[in-house]
Amino acid sequence: MSQSLDIDLLRSFVAIAETGVLGQAALRVGRTQSALSMQMQRLEGIVEQPLLHRTGRGVTLTATGERLLVRAVELLRKHDEALAELRGEQLSGVLRFSCPDDYAVVFLPYLLQSFASLHPRVQLEVMCAPTPRLHELLARHAVDLALVSVAASVAGGAAGDDVIRREPLVWVAHRDGAAASLDPLPLALGAPDALDHRLPRQALEAAGRAYRLAYASSSLSGLVGMARSGQAVIVLTRTAVPDDLQILTPDQGFPELPSVGVTLAFDREAPTALTAAFAAHVRKFLPAA
């Protein structure tokens, strides 16, 4: 009996190929890791060849997997373009979007690629900055919309906040470093007016643990570099934690941190059709935590 390549299976396969990590790929396509593994077993059964090498650090593609990836990307692009055309969704214009660095690393590639495949005539301009700077850009109408963080108390029920997902904040450090046990605790934090700066300091002060600010920067790469050097503890959203760093727990003397809500903010009350379409795309394809 002949079998066909299923679009959902190909989309999951491409997500795995692009991330190299089943957990991140599962977040991207909105499935559990076990469901994603079952999908790959089905796809390997259809092509009658192994597609993935599973290692301790993630997954890589076999030679057959590499060949399939080229075909899968092209098939998905043509599928999405055809669907958009049939739906009359051929939008055009320039869309200015912004988000924090940690969301950009984890979610932005897939969101932009999938939107571009649906609307190839749209030009996307992207800027990354901490949430307080994003609100300043919106106020100046320098961007059309932004993916921003809101405090858990606000995300819980403030009117007008359409919370798409919730992101736990976590303490992060080098796996073999001594920074986590030092007194005072050396911290490397984000911009002073950002949630990932204020909330950790409040938590440590409430717990009575001494700390010193060793480094402050709005650069995600700078913060991760400090953690990798073993010189400081940092705070990230859980999905942005690199595989080579460890998450510190209450058992190690670190107070529980709150989650933040992820929502969209617009530069004006009545968004354009293009802005509204991208917002709907983000709400549909950004996986819930």
Side-chain angles (χ1 to χ4, degrees), residues 215-254:
Y215 181 80
S217 172
S218 58
S219 165
L220 177 63
S221 60
L223 295 174
V224 170
M226 283 294 291
R228 284 179 172 148
S229 75
Q231 300 302 303
V233 172
I234 66 175
V235 172
L236 299 175
T237 52
R238 182 176 293 164
T239 55
V241 178
D243 291 338
D244 61 318
L245 298 178
Q246 69 165 327
I247 295 175
L248 303 171
T249 67
D251 292 340
Q252 296 168 283
F254 287 83

Coordinates of all heavy atoms in Angstrom, one line a residue, residues 215-254:
Y215 N 27.5 42.3 37.4 CA 27.4 42.6 36.0 C 25.9 42.9 35.7 O 25.0 42.2 36.1 CB 27.9 41.4 35.1 CG 27.8 41.6 33.6 CD1 28.8 42.3 33.0 CD2 26.8 41.1 32.9 CE1 28.9 42.5 31.6 CE2 26.8 41.2 31.5 CZ 27.9 41.9 30.9 OH 27.9 42.1 29.5
A216 N 25.6 44.0 34.9 CA 24.3 44.3 34.5 C 24.3 44.6 33.0 O 25.1 45.5 32.6 CB 23.7 45.4 35.3
S217 N 23.5 44.0 32.2 CA 23.5 44.2 30.8 C 22.2 43.8 30.2 O 21.5 42.9 30.7 CB 24.6 43.4 30.1 OG 24.5 43.5 28.7
S218 N 21.7 44.5 29.1 CA 20.5 44.0 28.4 C 20.9 43.0 27.3 O 20.0 42.6 26.6 CB 19.9 45.2 27.8 OG 20.8 45.9 26.9
S219 N 22.1 42.6 27.3 CA 22.6 41.6 26.3 C 22.5 40.2 26.8 O 23.1 39.9 27.8 CB 24.0 41.9 25.9 OG 24.6 40.8 25.2
L220 N 21.7 39.4 26.2 CA 21.5 38.0 26.6 C 22.9 37.3 26.4 O 23.3 36.5 27.3 CB 20.5 37.3 25.7 CG 20.3 35.8 26.0 CD1 19.8 35.6 27.4 CD2 19.3 35.2 25.0
S221 N 23.6 37.5 25.3 CA 24.9 36.8 25.1 C 25.9 37.2 26.2 O 26.7 36.4 26.7 CB 25.4 37.1 23.8 OG 25.6 38.5 23.6
G222 N 25.8 38.5 26.7 CA 26.7 38.9 27.8 C 26.4 38.2 29.1 O 27.3 37.8 29.8
L223 N 25.1 38.1 29.4 CA 24.7 37.4 30.6 C 25.1 35.9 30.6 O 25.7 35.4 31.5 CB 23.2 37.5 30.8 CG 22.7 39.0 31.1 CD1 21.2 39.0 31.1 CD2 23.3 39.5 32.4
V224 N 24.8 35.3 29.5 CA 25.2 33.8 29.3 C 26.7 33.7 29.4 O 27.2 32.7 30.0 CB 24.6 33.3 28.0 CG1 25.2 31.9 27.7 CG2 23.1 33.2 28.1
G225 N 27.4 34.6 28.8 CA 28.9 34.5 28.9 C 29.4 34.6 30.3 O 30.3 33.9 30.7
M226 N 28.8 35.5 31.2 CA 29.1 35.5 32.6 C 28.9 34.2 33.3 O 29.7 33.8 34.1 CB 28.4 36.7 33.2 CG 28.9 38.1 32.9 SD 30.5 38.4 33.6 CE 30.2 38.4 35.4
A227 N 27.7 33.6 33.0 CA 27.4 32.3 33.7 C 28.4 31.3 33.2 O 28.9 30.5 34.0 CB 26.0 31.9 33.3
R228 N 28.7 31.2 31.9 CA 29.7 30.2 31.4 C 31.1 30.4 32.0 O 31.8 29.4 32.1 CB 29.7 30.3 29.9 CG 28.5 29.6 29.3 CD 28.5 29.7 27.8 NE 27.4 28.9 27.2 CZ 26.8 29.2 26.1 NH1 27.1 30.3 25.4 NH2 25.8 28.4 25.6
S229 N 31.4 31.6 32.3 CA 32.7 31.9 32.9 C 32.8 31.4 34.4 O 33.9 31.3 34.9 CB 33.0 33.4 32.9 OG 32.3 34.1 33.9
G230 N 31.7 31.1 35.0 CA 31.7 30.7 36.4 C 31.8 31.8 37.4 O 31.9 31.6 38.6
Q231 N 31.7 33.1 36.9 CA 31.9 34.2 37.7 C 30.6 34.7 38.4 O 30.6 35.6 39.3 CB 32.5 35.4 36.9 CG 33.9 35.0 36.3 CD 34.9 34.6 37.4 OE1 35.1 35.3 38.3 NE2 35.4 33.4 37.3
A232 N 29.4 34.3 37.9 CA 28.2 34.9 38.4 C 27.0 34.0 38.1 O 27.1 33.1 37.2 CB 27.9 36.3 37.8
V233 N 25.9 34.2 38.9 CA 24.7 33.5 38.7 C 23.8 34.5 37.9 O 23.8 35.7 38.1 CB 24.0 33.1 40.0 CG1 22.6 32.6 39.8 CG2 24.8 32.1 40.7
I234 N 23.0 34.0 36.9 CA 22.1 34.8 36.1 C 20.7 34.3 36.2 O 20.4 33.3 36.8 CB 22.6 34.8 34.6 CG1 22.4 33.4 34.0 CG2 24.0 35.3 34.5 CD1 22.7 33.4 32.5
V235 N 19.8 35.1 35.7 CA 18.4 34.7 35.7 C 17.8 34.8 34.3 O 18.0 35.8 33.6 CB 17.5 35.6 36.6 CG1 16.0 35.4 36.4 CG2 17.9 35.5 38.1
L236 N 17.2 33.7 33.8 CA 16.7 33.6 32.5 C 15.3 33.0 32.5 O 14.9 32.4 33.5 CB 17.6 32.7 31.6 CG 19.0 33.0 31.4 CD1 19.7 31.9 30.6 CD2 19.1 34.3 30.6
T237 N 14.5 33.1 31.4 CA 13.3 32.3 31.3 C 13.8 30.9 31.0 O 14.8 30.7 30.4 CB 12.5 32.9 30.1 OG1 13.3 32.9 28.9 CG2 11.9 34.2 30.4
R238 N 13.0 29.9 31.5 CA 13.4 28.5 31.5 C 13.7 28.1 30.1 O 14.7 27.3 29.8 CB 12.4 27.6 32.1 CG 12.7 26.2 32.1 CD 11.7 25.4 32.9 NE 11.7 25.7 34.3 CZ 10.7 25.3 35.1 NH1 9.6 24.7 34.6 NH2 10.7 25.6 36.4
T239 N 12.9 28.5 29.1 CA 13.1 28.0 27.7 C 14.4 28.5 27.1 O 14.8 28.0 26.1 CB 11.9 28.4 26.8 OG1 11.7 29.8 26.9 CG2 10.7 27.7 27.2
A240 N 15.0 29.6 27.7 CA 16.2 30.2 27.1 C 17.4 29.6 27.7 O 18.5 30.1 27.3 CB 16.1 31.7 27.3
V241 N 17.4 28.7 28.7 CA 18.5 28.2 29.3 C 19.3 27.3 28.4 O 18.8 26.3 27.9 CB 18.2 27.4 30.6 CG1 19.4 26.8 31.3 CG2 17.4 28.3 31.6
P242 N 20.6 27.6 28.1 CA 21.4 26.7 27.2 C 21.7 25.4 27.9 O 21.7 25.2 29.1 CB 22.7 27.5 27.1 CG 22.4 28.9 27.4 CD 21.3 28.8 28.5
D243 N 21.9 24.3 27.1 CA 22.1 23.0 27.6 C 23.3 22.8 28.5 O 23.3 21.9 29.3 CB 22.1 22.0 26.5 CG 20.8 21.8 25.7 OD1 19.8 22.2 26.3 OD2 20.8 21.4 24.5
D244 N 24.3 23.7 28.3 CA 25.5 23.5 29.1 C 25.5 24.2 30.4 O 26.5 24.1 31.2 CB 26.7 24.0 28.2 CG 26.6 25.5 27.9 OD1 25.5 26.0 27.5 OD2 27.6 26.2 28.0
L245 N 24.4 24.9 30.7 CA 24.3 25.5 32.0 C 23.3 24.8 32.9 O 22.4 24.1 32.4 CB 23.9 27.0 31.9 CG 24.9 27.9 31.1 CD1 24.3 29.3 31.0 CD2 26.2 27.9 31.8
Q246 N 23.3 25.0 34.2 CA 22.4 24.3 35.1 C 21.4 25.3 35.7 O 21.7 26.4 36.0 CB 23.1 23.5 36.2 CG 23.8 24.4 37.2 CD 24.2 23.6 38.5 OE1 23.5 22.7 38.9 NE2 25.3 24.0 39.1
I247 N 20.2 24.8 36.0 CA 19.2 25.5 36.7 C 19.3 25.3 38.2 O 19.4 24.1 38.6 CB 17.8 25.2 36.2 CG1 17.6 25.6 34.8 CG2 16.7 25.8 37.1 CD1 16.3 25.1 34.2
L248 N 19.4 26.3 39.0 CA 19.6 26.2 40.5 C 18.2 26.1 41.1 O 17.3 26.8 40.7 CB 20.4 27.4 41.0 CG 21.8 27.5 40.3 CD1 22.4 28.8 40.7 CD2 22.7 26.4 40.7
T249 N 18.1 25.3 42.2 CA 16.8 25.0 42.8 C 16.8 25.5 44.2 O 17.8 25.8 44.8 CB 16.6 23.5 42.7 OG1 17.5 22.8 43.6 CG2 16.7 22.9 41.3
P250 N 15.6 25.5 44.8 CA 15.4 25.8 46.2 C 16.3 24.9 47.1 O 16.8 25.4 48.2 CB 13.9 25.7 46.5 CG 13.3 25.9 45.2 CD 14.2 25.4 44.2
D251 N 16.5 23.7 46.8 CA 17.4 22.8 47.5 C 18.8 23.3 47.6 O 19.6 22.9 48.5 CB 17.3 21.4 47.0 CG 16.0 20.7 47.1 OD1 15.2 21.2 48.0 OD2 15.7 19.7 46.4
Q252 N 19.2 24.1 46.7 CA 20.5 24.7 46.6 C 20.6 26.1 47.2 O 21.6 26.8 47.1 CB 21.0 24.7 45.2 CG 21.2 23.3 44.6 CD 21.4 23.4 43.0 OE1 20.5 23.6 42.3 NE2 22.7 23.2 42.6
G253 N 19.5 26.4 47.9 CA 19.4 27.7 48.6 C 18.9 28.9 47.8 O 19.2 30.1 48.2
F254 N 18.3 28.6 46.7 CA 17.8 29.7 45.9 C 16.3 29.8 46.0 O 15.5 28.8 45.7 CB 18.2 29.5 44.4 CG 19.7 29.8 44.2 CD1 20.6 28.8 44.5 CD2 20.1 31.1 43.8 CE1 22.0 29.1 44.3 CE2 21.5 31.3 43.6 CZ 22.4 30.3 43.9

